Amino acid sequence: MMTNAERTTVLITGANKGLGYEAARRLGEMGWKVFLGSRDEERGRVAVEKLAADGVDAVLVPLDVTSDESVAGALQVVSSHTERLDVLINNAGAPGHAVHPREATADELHAVYDANVYGPVRVTHAFLPLLQAASNPRVVMVSSGGGAFSVVQDPEQPVSKMHELAYSSSKAALNMLTVRYAQALPTIKFNAITPGETAKHTFAATDMNNHKGQLTVTEGTDVIIRMATLGPDGPTGTFEDRLGPVDW
């Protein structure tokens, strides 16, 4: 039986359902200690209880990534359980309202950026000291093929026909953040992922896309698990999906 000091620790934002919850379940089954971030405390509590019933060591972390105060509170919760954080999975995000560019306003973009861009920055900044205390820290940014120019400019890709500004541009920004963090902090592995199979024009079915995806939530988390479990010689500053690297 591993002690708390030996158990790998992970914080997953937006983990009360969907990809975040599935990642929590899979990593927890591997014996990891899971800090389950959830904006909705009641849903988060239910998720933790469900995981605990399956033998997962999970701790509820009330966490709204759009709030500095909430992120600070989350840091206090995690710090009360561990002196290090091995893995951070920035999964929480917002889809926006798919507003056509001719009707899009700065307010529409701001709300999405607050969750998809500023949120990961808030959380990463707050948890850097705990990450730096780990021997092989990893950060996984849950992005989207919709944030890749190679995908959006491909007329065969479904996202190329989705005329909106907020979501795709916020994920493109998140991809750039990933690269810049990786360059500036070489002792931490920063990698972006998209939960799909870009070459096959498929993505995971989640609440965010009204379950229109062709892949299961488990298949969608394959790349998250791969990047979360990287060894010391693993890559950093990359963008991958279930099948491998994706062109930016």
Side-chain angles (χ1 to χ4, degrees):
M1 187 73 177
M2 289 186 295
T3 66
N4 283 336
E6 298 168 330
R7 187 173 290 127
T8 302
T9 55
V10 58
L11 169 63
I12 309 173
T13 67
N16 63 281
K17 63 179 182 178
L19 296 169
Y21 178 84
E22 182 64 3
R25 182 191 69 78
R26 294 180 68 179
L27 293 171
E29 287 185 347
M30 293 166 56
W32 290 28
K33 186 178 186 66
V34 176
F35 294 100
L36 188 145
S38 178
R39 182 177 60 178
D40 186 312
E41 286 193 47
E42 181 55 33
R43 290 183 179 179
R45 189 170 295 109
V46 171
V48 165
E49 291 173 355
K50 186 177 178 181
L51 290 171
D54 291 332
V56 174
D57 182 4
V59 175
L60 173 62
V61 180
L63 177 54
D64 177 355
V65 302
T66 68
S67 164
D68 289 336
E69 182 180 3
S70 180
V71 172
L75 178 60
Q76 289 185 335
V77 172
V78 175
S79 296
S80 70
H81 289 269
T82 181
E83 295 180 348
R84 72 171 200 281
L85 183 64
D86 296 295
V87 179
L88 167 62
I89 301 176
N90 280 309
N91 169 70
H97 302 101
V99 175
H100 194 281
R102 66 172 170 266
E103 299 166 354
T105 64
D107 283 344
E108 163 67 15
L109 268 69
H110 179 75
V112 177
Y113 271 62
D114 206 13
N116 296 357
V117 182
Y118 311 141
V121 171
R122 286 188 186 94
V123 177
T124 301
H125 176 75
F127 283 88
L128 269 179
L130 288 184
L131 286 164
Q132 290 171 324
S135 61
N136 177 34
R138 289 89 77 192
V139 177
V140 182
M141 302 290 201
V142 179
S143 185
S144 168
F149 286 86
S150 66
V151 176
V152 172
Q153 292 183 310
D154 179 354
E156 299 301 316
Q157 293 283 357
V159 71
S160 70
K161 301 171 181 63
M162 292 173 56
H163 302 302
E164 57 79 51
L165 297 180
Y167 183 76
S168 55
S169 67
S170 70
K171 291 301 188 179
L174 182 61
N175 288 351
M176 179 60 78
L177 289 177
T178 303
V179 173
R180 300 302 277 169
Y181 274 128
Q183 292 172 332
L185 298 164
T187 61
I188 302 174
K189 292 179 178 59
F190 287 86
N191 291 287
I193 67 91
T194 176
E197 297 178 348
T198 306
K200 295 183 179 179
H201 306 170
T202 61
F203 50 93
T206 66
D207 285 354
M208 189 174 287
N209 56 47
N210 295 316
H211 296 273
K212 294 179 180 177
Q214 302 85 353
L215 301 179
T216 67
V217 70
T218 301
E219 291 170 328
T221 56
D222 281 349
V223 64
I224 296 177
I225 303 304
R226 186 167 78 236
M227 289 304 183
T229 56
L230 287 175
D233 296 328
T236 188
T238 69
F239 182 34
E240 297 196 11
D241 68 6
R242 190 166 182 256
L243 302 177
V246 178
D247 289 337
W248 302 100

